[in-house]
């Protein structure tokens, strides 16, 4: 993805006049702006949404009829465009790639250097400017804008509102003198008060014995990012093993590992030779083995935990995206995503005499691997939302099923008509450009993609293997495993019990409203027959198997999303990674590593522990 930059330059030394015009525009519409001080005869305005809206410069030009304005725009690094206004109207326009958006009647490229001659630093370079505008397409059109700005003396063009607000201010001339319209003072007060309220709520939860541990991520060595908590539950403890990992760390980088255990959950050093950086780690069911993949995402290390020695290191052809031990610890299953496909499921033998094997598929893209407790079968979820059953011995897919979506925004007949019409048109067009084999492959992929299904992200089996609990983009779905096995191939499987996730509302860039029901974590309390799940809604919710009752176990302060969740084997604690998402900003937000008292949460929610 390329860069998006939009700046409006007003030829004046009078920032107050520009600010008054911006405020007048703001009175007629919603918006946010940064305004620079006069620099080299220009006052620069940075509208929100990366300054991509031409209507803003048109409105400002109308408010400033006595000033010359130039609106410069770079779109995805593929287009450089400008609009020159004088006397309140556009007198020259330019677009380096007028047919970029597929307009059947694209406007001319434009660009009249003589219209800009009076604004050039050196009017004698008008031909240089024209040559720049007429030049072939740049690999990165920001380079054309940079040269354009240099000829006219336009300051700080390689920036945009969102980048500046997110702290990307290195090299910005006179940044400390920029002003924001509207004034953000009250917003800052409100934001600080909200943050103080959240801190107070967390401290109260700690005093009440509900929140046992809450640690906030520190900045990484790259100051644009925070460290990431990587952790796993060691069932032999039961304890949590954790490290705060550097963002974009190299394979050879070191890491500090810690062990946290009840009752105080304080962190103690955990010396485990050779582990280093890890993007993900997982203990085997008894805690005797540990698997991790680290700075090199295509390599998995396997260790004997008790002897603290590495047993094996496996190198794969692509990035590892998921792994899981078999219940009897005979196998490690590893999902590898190759680009281009095939996607691979590797079976790695952990005992003498066991042979490695691989299942590869050009069409499927495995997301999660969930071994059945009896050890003979695996459940796999792919990113099309399909649930696959794999025979471990043969490494063959023996069935495929899917979960029908429960909250479709369209009636099924309308959705099918839209999808069918779109697919027909797409296939008619593609058949003229691809081979028959490629067309057949696309048809198969589309058939899987457009099924009215919920996407499965996570899953757990009950210890007896009777239930498969799936976290989807709709909520929690409890499936009977026999139903999955008997389900006709590629048909929807019956959902025995269900709990919808609460709809999470977020504001995205450009005023877009985002709504999600994504489930990130699923755990099972076998003693009480209770499934716990968490997601974007900022809660831990429950589903009781014996009576189908659902409800909230915990509402997280500030409704932070719990993007990783685990129940310790002794049932004393829920361990989680909490993260507050801000879809309006690129500004990094630190994650929390948290430990919650499960008995206290049950007591507070009125549930039997």
């Amino acid at each position: 993805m390329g860069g998006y930059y939009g700046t409006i330059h007003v030829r004046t030394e009078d920032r107050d006049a520009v600010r008054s015009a911006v405020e007048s525009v703001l009175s007629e519409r919603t918006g946010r702006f940064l305004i620079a001080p006069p620099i080299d005869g220009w006052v620069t305005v940075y509208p929100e949404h990366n300054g991509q809206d031409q209507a803003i410069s048109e409105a400002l030009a109308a408010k400033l009829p006595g000033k010359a304005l130039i609106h410069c725009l770079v779109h995805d690094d593929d287009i450089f465009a400008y609009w020159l206004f004088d006397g309140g109207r556009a007198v020259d326009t330019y677009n380096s790639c007028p047919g970029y958006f597929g307009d059947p009647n694209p406007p001319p490229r434009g660009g009249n250097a003589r219209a800009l001659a009076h604004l050039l630093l050196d009017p004698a370079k008008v031909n240089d400017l024209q040559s720049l505008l007429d030049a072939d397409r740049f690999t990165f059109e920001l380079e054309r804008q940079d040269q354009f700005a240099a000829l006219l003396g336009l300051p700080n063009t390689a920036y945009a509102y969102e980048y500046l607000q997110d702290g990307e201010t290195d090299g910005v001339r006179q940044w400390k003198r920029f002003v924001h319209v509207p004034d953000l003072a009250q917003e800052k007060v409100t934001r600080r008060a909200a943050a103080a309220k959240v801190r107070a709520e967390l401290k109260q939860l700690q005093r009440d014995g509900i929140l046992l541990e809450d640690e906030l991520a520190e900045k990484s060595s790259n100051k644009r990012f925070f460290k990431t908590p990587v952790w796993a539950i060691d069932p032999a403890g039961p304890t949590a093993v954790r490290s705060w990992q550097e963002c974009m760390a190299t394979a050879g980088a070191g890491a500090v590992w810690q062990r946290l255990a009840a009752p105080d959950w304080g962190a103690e050093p955990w010396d485990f030779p050779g582990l280093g950086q890890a993007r993900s780690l997982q203990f085997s069911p008894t805690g005797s083995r540990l698997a991790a993949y680290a700075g090199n995402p295509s390599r998995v290390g396997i260790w004997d935990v008790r002897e603290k020695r590495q047993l094996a290191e496996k190198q794969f052809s692509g990035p590892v995206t998921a792994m899981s031990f078999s219940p009897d610890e005979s196998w490690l299953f590893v999902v590898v995503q190759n680009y281009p496909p095939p996607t691979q499921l590797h079976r790695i033998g952990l005992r003498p005499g066991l042979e490695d094997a691989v299942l590869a598929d050009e069409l499927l893209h495995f997301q999660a691997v969930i071994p059945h407790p009896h050890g003979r079968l695996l459940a796999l979820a792919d990113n099309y939302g399909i649930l696959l059953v794999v025979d471990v011995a043969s490494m063959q897919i023996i069935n495929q099923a899917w979960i029908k979506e429960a909250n479709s925004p369209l009636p099924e007949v309308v959705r099918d008509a839209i999808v069918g019409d779109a697919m027909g048109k797409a296939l008619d067009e593609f058949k003229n450009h691809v081979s028959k084999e490629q067309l057949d492959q696309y048809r198969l992929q589309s058939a899987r993609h457009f099924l009215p299904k919920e996407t499965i992200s996570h899953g757990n089996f009950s210890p007896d293997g009777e239930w498969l609990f799936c976290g989807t983009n709709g909520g929690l779905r409890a499936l009977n495993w026999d139903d999955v096995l008997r389900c006709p191939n590629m048909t929807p499987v019956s959902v025995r019990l269900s709990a919808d996730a609460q709809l999470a509302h977020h504001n995205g860039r450009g005023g877009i409203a985002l709504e999600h029901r994504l489930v990130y974590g699923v755990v099972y309390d076998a003693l009480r027959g209770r499934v716990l799940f968490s997601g974007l809604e900022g809660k831990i919710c429950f589903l009781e198997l014996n009576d189908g009752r659902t409800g909230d176990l915990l509402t997280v302060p500030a409704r932070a999303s719990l993007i990783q969740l685990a129940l310790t084997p002794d049932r004393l604690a829920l361990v989680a990674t909490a993260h507050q998402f801000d879809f309006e900003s690129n500004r990094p937000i630190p994650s929390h590593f948290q430990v919650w008292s499960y008995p206290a949460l049950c007591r507070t929610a009125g549930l039997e522990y």
Side-chain angles (χ1 to χ4, degrees):
M1 178 178 173
Y4 294 79
Y5 310 93
T7 51
I8 302 172
H9 306 268
V10 185
R11 188 63 170 171
T12 184
E13 295 283 348
D14 188 353
R15 179 164 67 172
D16 290 341
V18 175
R19 180 170 183 164
S20 294
V22 169
E23 290 172 342
S24 180
V25 169
L26 190 57
S27 69
E28 300 167 0
R29 65 178 73 207
T30 59
R32 289 168 176 257
F33 304 84
L34 284 166
I35 306 176
I39 302 175
D40 300 335
W42 297 96
V43 172
T44 305
V45 178
Y46 299 83
E48 66 177 347
H49 311 317
N50 297 88
Q52 301 288 297
D53 188 356
Q54 177 193 348
I56 297 295
S57 54
E58 291 175 347
L60 271 179
K63 305 289 184 184
L64 297 164
K67 310 292 185 185
L69 282 79
I70 304 175
H71 182 178
C72 296
L73 179 151
V74 172
H75 180 88
D76 202 18
D77 263 328
D78 288 332
I79 297 173
F80 167 62
Y82 72 75
W83 294 265
L84 170 64
F85 298 89
D86 212 346
R89 63 184 183 87
V91 296
D92 187 37
T93 62
Y94 174 79
N95 185 329
S96 65
C97 188
Y100 182 83
F101 294 104
D103 188 342
N105 297 298
R109 195 178 202 210
N112 178 9
R114 296 201 174 276
L116 292 156
H118 65 295
L119 299 173
L120 288 169
L121 291 176
D122 182 355
K125 292 190 175 181
V126 66
N127 291 334
D128 293 345
L129 176 58
Q130 193 64 59
S131 296
L132 173 67
L133 299 177
D134 293 340
D136 291 339
R137 188 171 179 179
F138 282 56
T139 302
F140 299 100
E141 284 291 330
L142 179 62
E143 296 176 11
R144 193 194 307 261
Q145 176 177 268
D146 288 344
Q147 295 181 38
F148 178 84
L151 287 167
L152 284 108
L154 303 177
N156 296 328
T157 54
Y159 301 93
Y161 175 89
E162 280 74 14
Y163 300 140
L164 294 170
Q165 287 293 87
D166 290 343
E168 297 184 21
T169 60
D170 289 349
V172 178
R173 296 173 64 187
Q174 298 194 42
W175 165 244
K176 291 185 178 181
R177 295 182 61 204
F178 277 50
V179 296
H180 193 281
V181 177
D183 187 352
L184 294 181
Q186 186 55 50
E187 279 191 22
K188 291 178 180 177
V189 169
T190 303
R191 193 161 54 243
R192 285 195 292 267
K197 181 174 180 290
V198 170
R199 289 194 297 270
E201 290 176 355
L202 290 170
K203 288 181 179 178
Q204 186 60 52
L205 288 165
Q206 289 177 310
R207 286 193 291 269
D208 294 341
I210 297 173
L211 179 58
L212 305 176
E213 172 72 10
D214 179 51
E215 187 171 345
L216 188 66
E218 299 175 346
K219 279 287 184 72
S220 71
S221 56
N222 182 329
K223 299 302 182 183
R224 289 282 299 131
F225 301 97
F226 287 93
K227 292 183 178 180
T228 302
V230 176
W231 57 270
I233 299 298
D234 179 358
T239 57
V241 170
R242 184 201 63 194
S243 176
W244 290 98
Q245 301 279 284
E246 288 280 351
C247 179
M248 300 184 296
T250 60
V256 176
W257 287 91
Q258 298 170 315
R259 182 184 290 274
L260 301 94
D264 61 358
W265 292 95
E268 298 178 352
W270 186 58
D271 181 24
F272 201 89
L275 184 55
Q277 291 284 333
R279 296 189 181 188
S280 178
L281 73 160
Q282 187 169 115
F283 286 92
S284 62
T286 66
S288 65
R289 298 286 185 267
L290 174 67
Y293 55 92
N296 181 342
S298 300
R299 183 179 299 138
V300 171
I302 305 169
W303 286 266
D304 182 304
V305 176
R306 295 182 179 90
E307 297 182 6
K308 291 187 177 182
R309 64 182 179 88
Q310 189 167 15
L311 299 175
E313 187 173 77
K314 299 289 185 178
Q315 179 71 47
F316 301 100
S317 55
V320 175
T321 57
M323 59 185 181
S324 184
F325 285 94
S326 64
D328 64 358
E329 303 184 346
S330 295
W331 311 101
L332 176 67
F333 302 102
V334 177
V335 172
V336 175
Q337 299 282 9
N338 293 294
Y339 302 97
T343 298
Q344 298 171 331
L345 172 68
H346 289 261
R347 185 193 70 193
I348 300 171
L350 301 178
R351 293 177 180 170
L354 297 180
E355 295 183 356
D356 295 356
V358 61
L359 165 63
D361 197 285
E362 297 281 347
L363 181 63
L364 308 176
H365 301 276
F366 310 134
Q367 295 275 90
V369 53
I370 315 159
H372 189 271
H374 296 168
R376 298 185 299 274
L377 301 173
L378 294 175
L380 283 175
D382 79 358
N383 68 348
Y384 291 103
I386 308 298
L387 184 65
L388 305 108
V389 181
V390 173
D391 179 86
V392 172
S394 65
M395 289 295 283
Q396 297 294 316
I397 297 170
I398 62 174
N399 202 11
Q400 301 179 72
W402 45 280
I403 297 173
K404 192 170 184 178
E405 62 183 356
N407 299 292
S408 175
L410 290 173
E412 190 169 339
V413 63
V414 175
R415 192 204 67 85
D416 289 347
I418 294 172
V419 170
D421 182 60
M423 277 299 303
K425 291 179 180 178
L427 292 172
D428 283 343
E429 177 63 28
F430 290 165
K431 70 182 180 183
N432 300 319
H433 304 283
V434 300
S435 67
K436 182 180 182 302
E437 292 74 16
Q438 290 173 317
L439 189 65
D440 290 342
Q441 183 78 350
Y442 178 80
R443 186 182 286 109
L444 287 171
Q445 289 177 331
S446 298
R448 301 174 74 88
H449 181 75
F450 289 115
L451 289 169
K453 62 194 176 331
E454 293 187 343
T455 301
I456 303 168
S457 56
H458 293 79
N460 277 330
F461 278 104
S462 59
D464 60 9
E466 180 181 350
W467 291 96
L468 174 60
F469 309 112
C470 296
T472 76
N473 62 340
L476 179 78
R477 311 300 182 225
L479 312 179
N480 180 277
W481 184 237
D482 285 339
D483 290 347
V484 176
L485 297 180
R486 290 195 298 262
C487 183
N489 191 56
M490 283 302 293
T491 59
V493 62
S494 299
V495 175
R496 295 292 187 98
L497 292 171
S498 179
D500 287 347
Q502 183 175 322
L503 198 62
H505 301 272
H506 297 273
N507 294 323
R509 290 193 171 187
I512 298 174
L514 304 174
E515 297 182 339
H516 298 285
R517 282 191 172 92
L518 296 177
V519 171
Y520 284 109
V522 178
V523 298
Y524 182 55
D525 176 3
L527 180 64
R528 293 300 171 206
R530 180 181 300 140
V531 191
L532 307 173
F533 63 98
S534 64
L536 276 179
E537 73 278 12
K539 292 183 175 183
I540 299 176
C541 302
F542 66 85
L543 167 66
E544 303 279 7
L545 292 188
N546 60 347
D547 58 10
R549 184 163 58 104
T550 65
D552 299 339
L553 182 70
L554 167 70
T555 298
V556 185
R559 301 297 288 270
S561 303
L562 297 184
I563 57 176
Q564 190 178 2
L565 183 69
L567 178 65
T568 56
D570 58 9
R571 302 176 61 251
L572 288 177
L574 282 162
V575 183
T577 300
H579 189 81
Q580 187 74 51
F581 287 96
D582 183 355
F583 295 100
E584 293 183 283
S585 171
N586 286 332
R587 188 184 298 275
I589 299 175
S591 295
H592 290 248
F593 174 83
Q594 296 178 332
V595 181
W596 297 88
S597 168
Y598 184 48
L601 287 173
C602 289
R603 183 176 62 253
T604 303
L607 296 177
E608 185 178 7
Y609 170 69

